[in-house]
DNA sequence: CTGGTTGCAAACAATTTGCAACCCA
DNA sequence: TGGGTTGCAAATTGTTTGCAACCAG
């Protein structure tokens, strides 16, 4: 992994790490290298990453892919990361920063897979309405937008990193 | 496959079948037994079904699972069925009825997997707004709600956010 | 006849799991 | 020390694909 000066108390990673540490302790679980590395990586990358991407970014030898899967489950349960599903059959994760911006959605280019974050969520109130209308509780929602980004619109879009939907996004 | 009286012009399945027939012809493709059977089945079942469920409902010997996967891709491309992703790693499909109700969302119980359809979509205008704000085109969206249904609430089931990730909601 | 289709099996890819070695608290 | 963790490999599961037999038009 690209090691940042993570041994100093005032390290940037201190914030999420501190929370991790204390929370893990409460669950009588451990603050291990892989877990720290994953959090550190997600702090830099501000966009959702797949487990495979995380694995690659950490340096093949540093952490096993299976461990990443296990860690993401743990971190998700603890609410430290959020799972996103863009419909291509691969899970993506983002670090949950304590403050606002916590809840947001994405605008994904179906062509180049570029991702834009949409901060304002308006569906919140709907959640309540939907819940009330059908007697459901603890209602949450998933909302993502898909479209073709400016770049891809003009350039006879070269499906560079586009690979969403195990099936071709745009039929060209 | 369970062949319904599909040779009569006034057959219930006539509506979707007729459209299928004509559209397939235009694509110089064929109206086959499996395709008719799938459409007929989706007409009855008004809820999203997984390929495996469709396969089971058609009678193991009637249509191969692979054929169902291929058919769903075709039907999806033709806009006859719509694919939904509830985040559990399994695709679900619903027949697209020509009229309204065409665009709708779901409220899924994370415990018993029961599904309620939400007809009013409010995200439509947001699509336009989001598209304009970021220069994207042909913007669409996916929105689903998750929660605990009335039945499961009392039934003791406290698995609030049951793991819909990969495995069955809650194995109890 | 003939190209689109299907069944079957093998291939794939994402994710999960069993288990022995390992390490943090 | 001991139970949570990890790496490795094998197992699962959803989905796709190669190919020869088959069928709708």
């Amino acid at each position: 992994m690209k090691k940042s000066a993570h041994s100093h108390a005032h390290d940037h990673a201190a914030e999420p790490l501190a929370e991790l540490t204390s929370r893990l302790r409460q669950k009588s679980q451990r603050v291990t290298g892989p877990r720290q590395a994953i959090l550190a990586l997600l702090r830099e990358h501000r966009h959702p990453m797949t487990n495979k991407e995380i694995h690659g970014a950490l340096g093949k030898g540093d952490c096993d892919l299976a461990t990443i899967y296990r860690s993401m489950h743990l971190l998700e349960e603890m609410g430290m990361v959020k799972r996103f599903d863009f419909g291509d059959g691969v899970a993506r994760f983002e670090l949950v920063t304590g403050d606002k911006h916590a809840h947001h959605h994405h605008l994904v280019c179906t062509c180049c897979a570029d991702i834009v974050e949409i901060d304002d969520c308006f569906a919140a109130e709907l959640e309540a309405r939907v819940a009330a209308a059908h007697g459901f509780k603890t209602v949450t929602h998933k909302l993502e937008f898909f479209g073709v980004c400016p770049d891809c619109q003009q350039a006879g879009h070269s499906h560079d990193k586009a690979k969403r939907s195990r099936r071709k996004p745009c039929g060209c």
Side-chain angles (χ1 to χ4, degrees), chain A:
Chain A
M1 69 194 135
K2 178 181 297 182
K3 43 104 168 286
S4 45
H6 61 275
S7 44
H8 298 325
H10 47 298
D11 174 346
H12 280 225
E15 183 215 286
L17 238 190
E19 170 146 10
L20 202 228
T21 305
S22 64
R23 285 226 245 164
L24 279 182
R25 259 195 264 280
Q26 291 183 298
K27 287 193 64 178
S28 66
Q29 299 197 302
R30 298 164 192 177
V31 182
T32 68
R35 290 174 186 173
Q36 296 180 51
I38 292 173
L39 284 183
L41 178 63
L42 290 178
R43 271 192 78 268
E44 300 173 17
H45 260 268
R46 257 22 184 352
H47 275 334
M49 297 180 79
T50 67
N51 283 343
K52 192 174 288 184
E53 289 172 337
I54 293 175
H55 185 225
L58 290 186
K60 298 297 177 186
D62 294 335
C63 175
D64 190 81
L65 185 54
T67 297
I68 296 183
Y69 274 98
R70 284 188 277 231
S71 294
M72 297 323 281
H73 277 307
L74 178 71
L75 292 174
E76 186 185 12
E77 254 180 55
M78 296 180 53
M80 311 235 18
V81 302
K82 198 164 184 183
R83 172 190 301 259
F84 288 102
D85 183 356
F86 294 163
D88 60 350
V90 203
R92 275 160 233 265
F93 301 86
E94 247 184 48
L95 183 61
V96 169
T97 61
D99 58 8
K100 49 232 43 192
H101 190 67
H103 181 73
H104 63 279
H105 302 289
H106 302 89
L107 171 53
V108 185
C109 177
T110 51
C111 200
C112 68
D114 190 33
I115 298 172
V116 176
E117 309 214 335
I118 307 296
D119 289 322
D120 51 317
C121 175
F122 34 77
E125 66 167 279
L126 296 161
E127 244 174 37
R129 191 162 79 191
V130 168
H134 303 278
F136 274 55
K137 277 192 174 179
T138 16
V139 174
T140 56
H141 70 271
K142 280 177 179 290
L143 167 62
E144 306 300 341
F145 294 90
F146 301 88
V148 182
C149 76
D151 289 348
C152 291
Q153 281 171 46
Q154 51 172 201
H157 64 293
S158 47
H159 310 59
D160 295 321
K161 48 184 177 178
K163 214 160 192 195
R164 15 206 66 290
S165 171
R166 221 170 263 188
R167 182 145 288 293
K168 48 195 172 185
C170 42
C172 40

